[in-house]
């Protein structure tokens, strides 16, 4: 079993990816990597990422990096689980530039909706953190869900009414109780 990935090991990974890149591009980090870099988790099991554009030089480097850095790497992003949200690239916050690669956290709204749909306890905690930290606004989250809702038929594993209810619950949970202000 590989050791957990903390922020220092994640930054080493980013430097190595930047050094391996043959051309300019972006790498979007998501899931536990976002949680570690933003600071609500101290470690993650693996690094979930999406390259744009995909580069053979980086793919070739990944197998070596997995062994030398003892890091599990998954080529996965929210767009693999739910329809991509319009404008997600523009809402993906910049982290750092290493070599020719700009690293970004994958759009927080996309991450939240993907995590809500999956429904795992750890994912729910991550969504609550993004909401509590103001990274995601509850009404906008619902709006983005409504944008992709007509496309959910393309994802047969998703039950749209259950997904909607889960988003509504998370939105309602993020609001302060009636009569209480947010102070």
């Amino acid at each position: 079993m590989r050791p957990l990935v903390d922020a220092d090991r994640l930054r080493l990974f980013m430097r190595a990816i930047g050094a391996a890149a043959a051309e300019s591009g972006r790498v979007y980090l998501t899931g536990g990597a976002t949680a570690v870099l933003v600071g609500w988790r101290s470690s993650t099991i693996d690094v979930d990422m999406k390259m744009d554009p995909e580069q053979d030089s980086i793919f070739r480097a990944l197998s070596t990096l997995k062994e030398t850095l003892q890091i599990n790497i998954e080529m996965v992003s929210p767009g693999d689980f739910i329809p991509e949200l319009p404008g997600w690239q523009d809402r993906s916050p910049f982290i750092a530039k290493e070599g020719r690669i700009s690293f970004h956290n994958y759009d927080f709204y996309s991450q939240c909706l993907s995590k809500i749909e999956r429904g795992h306890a750890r994912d729910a905690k991550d969504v609550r953190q993004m909401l509590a930290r103001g990274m995601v606004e509850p009404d906008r989250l619902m709006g983005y869900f409504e944008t992709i809702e007509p496309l959910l038929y393309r994802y047969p594993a998703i039950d749209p009414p259950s997904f909607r209810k889960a988003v509504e619950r998370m939105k309602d949970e993020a609001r302060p109780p009636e009569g209480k202000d947010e102070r």
Side-chain angles (χ1 to χ4, degrees):
M1 187 159 156
R2 298 179 193 271
L4 295 174
V5 181
D6 62 11
D8 291 338
R9 292 185 61 232
L10 190 50
R11 298 243 181 230
L12 279 173
F13 172 76
M14 291 165 57
R15 281 194 289 281
I17 292 293
E23 59 188 80
S24 296
R26 286 184 170 195
V27 168
Y28 298 92
L29 299 174
T30 188
T34 292
V36 168
L37 289 173
V38 174
W40 72 80
R41 275 200 235 158
S42 62
S43 63
T44 185
I45 295 169
D46 56 17
V47 176
D48 297 337
M49 62 181 269
K50 176 183 177 75
M51 278 188 279
D52 185 28
E54 291 185 345
Q55 296 187 35
D56 282 344
S57 61
I58 294 175
F59 276 121
R60 285 188 180 99
L62 289 179
S63 62
T64 302
L65 291 176
K66 278 174 51 173
E67 297 310 315
T68 57
L69 296 177
Q70 290 291 294
I71 291 177
N72 293 318
I73 303 163
E74 298 288 334
M75 300 302 296
V76 65
S77 69
D80 295 317
F81 303 102
I82 62 170
E84 287 187 338
L85 299 182
W88 70 266
Q89 296 97 331
D90 296 332
R91 289 188 309 276
S92 296
F94 177 76
I95 301 167
K97 185 165 179 134
E98 296 290 348
R100 296 178 170 157
I101 300 297
S102 293
F103 288 87
H104 296 257
N105 281 309
Y106 201 104
D107 170 45
F108 300 133
Y109 288 93
S110 298
Q111 288 195 53
C112 279
L113 288 173
S114 176
K115 287 172 175 289
I116 291 169
E117 193 287 317
R118 289 178 7 174
H120 301 299
R122 177 167 235 155
D123 289 333
K125 288 179 184 178
D126 288 345
V127 171
R128 287 182 188 101
Q129 282 292 321
M130 285 188 253
L131 286 161
R133 291 167 181 258
M135 299 160 68
V136 171
E137 199 279 319
D139 290 331
R140 281 186 72 192
L141 182 67
M142 192 71 219
Y144 284 123
F145 170 78
E146 290 169 348
T147 299
I148 64 167
E149 190 173 24
L151 304 173
L152 293 177
Y153 71 91
R154 295 180 179 200
Y155 296 76
I158 296 176
D159 178 55
S162 297
F163 188 11
R164 173 178 269 284
K165 285 179 188 167
V167 174
E168 288 171 345
R169 269 193 311 273
M170 198 59 75
K171 177 186 164 202
D172 292 343
E173 190 179 301
R175 296 207 181 289
E178 289 293 319
K180 303 264 184 186
D181 73 24
E182 296 182 28
R183 281 185 254 164

